[in-house]
Amino acid sequence: MLFIVAALLLLGVVLGTVAHAPLSFSVAAGVVIAVWLGIFALRERHGRRRGTQAH
């Protein structure tokens, strides 16, 4: 329960910050995060297909 409260508090702070940031900055940050998450997802999918191997 404490985790949910902390997550909602952090979400409120982040959304409040984005509301005061310029639109171009918010869009650029969103694109960077989306690309990062896409790369992460591709790496995870590729890693699961190969099986668990120690690097």
Side-chain angles (χ1 to χ4, degrees), residues 26-44:
S26 299
V27 170
V31 168
V32 168
I33 292 170
V35 168
W36 176 51
L37 289 174
I39 291 171
F40 177 77
L42 288 174
R43 290 183 66 193
E44 284 293 313

Side-chain angles (χ1 to χ4, degrees), residues 5-32:
V5 172
L8 288 174
L9 181 64
L10 183 62
L11 180 66
V13 170
V14 169
L15 288 179
T17 303
V18 169
H20 295 289
L23 181 61
S24 60
F25 174 78
S26 299
V27 170
V31 168
V32 168

